């Protein structure tokens, strides 16, 4: 088993920084109304394979309320989802979704962060196994098209992770609605994955409200593919500060 205190000091420093970031990012889940109780998690990849032969991941401990989270209780795992000797008590177990997060890191090298919530409107689409249609410019910007639905997969092994990878590999969307479960999001960084979780709930809510107000004269209107492509390209490459 890897022992954190015996790893190269630069890796220990990377882990410490990731623990602080992941702990702080968990506060964004209740802040943006994405979770009730402990029903969501954030992880980050620690890129250290060149130094120790494998990347690591940092994720919250299972079932701990967000007000009790701190960098010191963030759990460090290898990419099989196995907790390393990270200095936390042995009894402190990683998130129940650790295997899913680890599978994504193992099979999508570009992914640096993974988030899972049960946010209400996105999870309602997951309950219907219905993709979120691309009817908003914000969806073109952030998702490059519809938000897809992933397969029904039960927690406890890597089946959720396999479903996420099968759905999102080669897909523009950083979010997948796992059937009857809820959204999982990915990003180049953990912060990007949290942003995708915020945005997928926002667009799900807006589409649902738009549908509720739709009439035969004013139905919800999809965006044409070329418009979506232009929106996505601008937002991903021009928007914001560079
Ligand atoms: O969906 C589930 C359980 O079914 C989990 O994602 C959710 O309860 C959060 O669990 P953790 O506190 O991260 O272990």
């Amino acid at each position: 088993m890897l022992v954190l205190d015996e790893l190269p000091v630069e890796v220990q420093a990377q882990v410490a920084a990731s623990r602080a970031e992941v702990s702080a990012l968990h506060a964004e889940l209740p802040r943006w109304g994405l979770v009730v109780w402990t029903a969501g998690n954030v992880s980050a990849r620690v890129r250290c394979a060149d130094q120790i032969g494998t990347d690591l991941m940092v994720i919250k401990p299972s079932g701990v309320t967000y007000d009790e989270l701190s960098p010191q209780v963030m759990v460090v795992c290898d990419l099989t989802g196995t907790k390393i000797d990270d200095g936390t008590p042995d009894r402190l177990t990683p998130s129940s979704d650790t295997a899913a997060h680890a599978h994504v890191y193992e099979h999508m090298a570009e992914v640096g962060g993974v988030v899972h919530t049960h946010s209400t409107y996105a999870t309602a689409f997951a309950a219907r196994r219905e993709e979120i249609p691309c009817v908003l410019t914000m969806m073109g910007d952030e998702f490059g098209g519809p938000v897809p639905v992933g397969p029904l997969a039960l927690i406890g092994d890597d089946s959720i992770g396999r479903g996420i990878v099968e759905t999102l590999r080669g897909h523009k969307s950083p979010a997948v609605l796992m059937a009857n479960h809820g959204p999982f999001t990915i990003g180049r960084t953990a912060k990007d994955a949290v942003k995708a979780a915020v945005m997928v709930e926002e667009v799900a809510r807006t589409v649902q409200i738009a549908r509720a107000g739709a009439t035969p004269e004013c139905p919800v209107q999809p965006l044409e593919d070329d418009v979506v492509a232009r929106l996505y390209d601008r937002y991903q490459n021009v928007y914001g500060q560079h």
Side-chain angles (χ1 to χ4, degrees), residues 21 43-45 47 105 108-114 174 185-194 196:
E21 180 194 28
S43 72
R45 179 200 298 264
R47 293 190 185 279
Y105 291 129
M108 299 181 79
E110 73 280 9
V111 174
V114 180
T185 61
I186 60 176
R188 187 180 52 79
T189 66
K191 185 175 181 181
D192 288 345
V194 169

Side-chain angles (χ1 to χ4, degrees), residues 36-166:
V36 291
W37 200 239
T38 63
N41 40 66
V42 179
S43 72
R45 179 200 298 264
V46 180
R47 293 190 185 279
C48 52
D50 290 346
Q51 294 101 313
I52 66 172
T54 178
D55 285 347
L56 298 174
M57 58 175 282
V58 172
I59 195 165
K60 78 164 206 191
S62 182
V64 177
T65 55
Y66 299 105
D67 58 348
E68 295 177 324
L69 293 179
S70 69
Q72 293 72 27
V73 302
M74 292 296 117
V75 180
V76 186
C77 299
D78 62 24
L79 296 196
T80 69
T82 304
K83 179 179 175 180
I84 74 170
D85 182 343
D86 64 0
T88 64
D90 290 346
R91 60 172 171 73
L92 201 66
T93 55
S95 167
S96 47
D97 292 301
T98 298
H101 290 234
H103 189 90
V104 173
Y105 291 129
E106 187 65 31
H107 293 85
M108 299 181 79
E110 73 280 9
V111 174
V114 180
V115 172
H116 169 49
T117 79
H118 297 166
S119 61
T120 304
Y121 284 87
T123 302
F125 274 88
R128 298 192 296 266
R129 302 189 186 183
E130 178 191 6
E131 73 176 19
I132 305 174
C134 191
V135 296
L136 304 169
T137 58
M138 179 187 267
M139 291 196 64
D141 291 346
E142 178 73 21
F143 302 99
V147 175
V149 175
L152 178 64
L154 299 186
I155 198 166
D157 56 25
D158 66 358
S159 56
I160 294 177
R162 280 187 279 110
I164 296 167
V165 171
E166 287 161 13

